[in-house]
């Protein structure tokens, strides 16, 4: 009997093709996460090592194959693998990160800055801790995996909505009560830049703006409309751009609460009058936070426009819908259209061409409505609804109208009780 190991080209092709119906069956036959390549050499099988985490990101299996991560249950797989705990006892100093917390949750920008804070502590040495400062309503549930050692939540009616005066007074009190080595803010339109500038004026510091390369010694900032870089000594207050550092993804942190003693703020001179209603389609696509996008699967365009109006969403479209003349070129999303950074992107009847997927690369949450459960858009989506788009949009509009009517009646009841 010959001991020669013979290649099976068909099996090798199926293992490399993750979309093949027999892919899982053949891949599971390979022991140790290895496959025999075309040259006859054993190679690591990258799709077998690790698992897909709750955010759709591939993570290494730290239990050395002792955990079973069934497909389609990404959250349970994430629970089986416990990340190592990073603990800081009796911190000597703090790096305070004032997060934007858009919608009450950490943004990708916030997480990049938390990663930079840990990088600065590693470079500066000492027993330092990263503290996240949050105002108002907080919905975030994963401060621990984002890199937060200490959590300072400053709540109260004075800090709701647009309240820069009250917030900067609270931050000045944090400066007085805690040994703060540096203040880190997102350089964003969500208020981080405004608040950082106010705090810098209050403390008499000269901040760094548009910072994108930072270490313990020096900071490189964008200047002259990003046409040149400005290098200076790293200051106490930094306003940072996105991707200034890698987010934390390999450790858990305590996220232990800390408090601020005797928070007192004076009467504000700026009054928040609430948000103004604007036409969603008047918002530039690149700045829109909620987009309803149509593709080749839309056949009732009147219904699509009505759905966007009921939901209060900015309209977008795939290249196919634009080329067919159903939507203007200014509404095209993708590498050949507009790159969007919405918090929620509902893709209706869009299969997910590579150019379109590039254009939504920085979108936070994608919702896919499609009849093809195996299309790329469904794989990218955080939530998928498989079915006819016309029926689903109809039901979605009904639910939105019911929610709006309920909110109006609740508000009217509160006003009557108050009267």
């Amino acid at each position: 009997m010959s001991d020669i190991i013979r290649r099976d080209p068909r099996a090798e092709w199926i293992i490399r093709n993750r979309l093949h119906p027999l892919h899982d069956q053949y891949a599971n036959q390979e022991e140790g996460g290895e496959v025999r390549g075309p040259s006859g050499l054993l190679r690591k099988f990258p799709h077998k090592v690790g698992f897909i985490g709750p955010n759709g990101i591939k993570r290494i299996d730290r239990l050395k194959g002792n955990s079973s991560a069934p497909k389609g249950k990404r959250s349970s797989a994430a629970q089986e693998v416990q990340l190592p705990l990073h603990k800081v006892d009796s911190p000597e100093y703090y790096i305070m990160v004032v997060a934007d917390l858009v919608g009450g949750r950490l943004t990708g920008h916030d997480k990049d800055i938390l990663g930079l804070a840990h990088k600065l502590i590693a470079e500066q040495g000492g027993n330092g801790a990263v503290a996240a400062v949050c105002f108002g309503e907080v919905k975030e549930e994963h401060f621990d995996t984002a890199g937060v050692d200490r959590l300072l939540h400053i709540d109260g009616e004075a800090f709701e909505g647009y309240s820069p005066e009250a917030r900067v007074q609270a931050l000045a009190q944090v400066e007085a009560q805690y040994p703060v080595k540096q203040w880190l803010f997102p350089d964003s339109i969500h208020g981080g830049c405004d608040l950082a500038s106010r705090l810098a004026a209050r403390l008499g510091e000269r901040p760094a703006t548009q910072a994108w390369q930072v270490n313990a010694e020096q900071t490189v900032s964008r200047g002259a409309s990003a046409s040149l870089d400005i290098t200076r000594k790293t200051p106490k207050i930094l306003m940072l751009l996105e991707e200034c550092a890698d987010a934390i993804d390999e450790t858990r942190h305590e996220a232990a609460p800390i408090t601020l003693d005797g928070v007192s703020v004076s009467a504000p001179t700026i009054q928040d009058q609430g948000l103004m209603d604007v036409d969603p389609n008047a918002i530039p696509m690149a700045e829109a936070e909620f987009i309803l996008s149509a593709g080749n699967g839309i056949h009732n365009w009147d219904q699509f426009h009505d759905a966007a109006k009921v939901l209060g969403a900015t309209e977008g479209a795939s290249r196919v819908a634009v080329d067919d003349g159903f939507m203007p070129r200014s509404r095209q999303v993708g590498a050949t259209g507009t790159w969007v950074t919405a918090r929620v992107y509902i893709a209706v009847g869009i299969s997910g061409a590579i150019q379109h997927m590039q254009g939504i690369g920085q979108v936070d949450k994608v919702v896919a409505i499609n009849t093809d459960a195996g299309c790329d858009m469904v794989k990218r989506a955080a939530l998928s609804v498989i079915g006819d788009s016309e029926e689903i949009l109809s039901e979605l509009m009904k639910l939105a109208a019911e929610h709006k009517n309920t909110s109006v009646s609740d508000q009217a009841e509160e006003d009557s009780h108050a009267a």
Side-chain angles (χ1 to χ4, degrees), residues 255-270:
I258 56 177
T259 58
L260 186 61
D261 298 331
V263 181
S264 60
V265 295
S266 58
T269 59
I270 300 174

Side-chain angles (χ1 to χ4, degrees), residues 10 13-26:
R10 179 174 179 272
W13 176 78
I14 292 175
I15 290 174
R16 291 195 299 269
N17 184 2
R18 285 178 289 169
L19 300 180
H20 196 282
L22 299 178
H23 168 77
D24 292 340
Q25 176 182 337
Y26 276 81

Side-chain angles (χ1 to χ4, degrees), residues 60 76 88 122 128 148 172 195 198 229 250 317-318 338 391 394 405:
I60 300 301
S76 62
V88 181
V148 176
L195 194 55
R198 291 173 181 271
D229 289 333
E250 296 185 350
S318 67
T338 302
E391 295 178 3
S394 178
N405 293 334

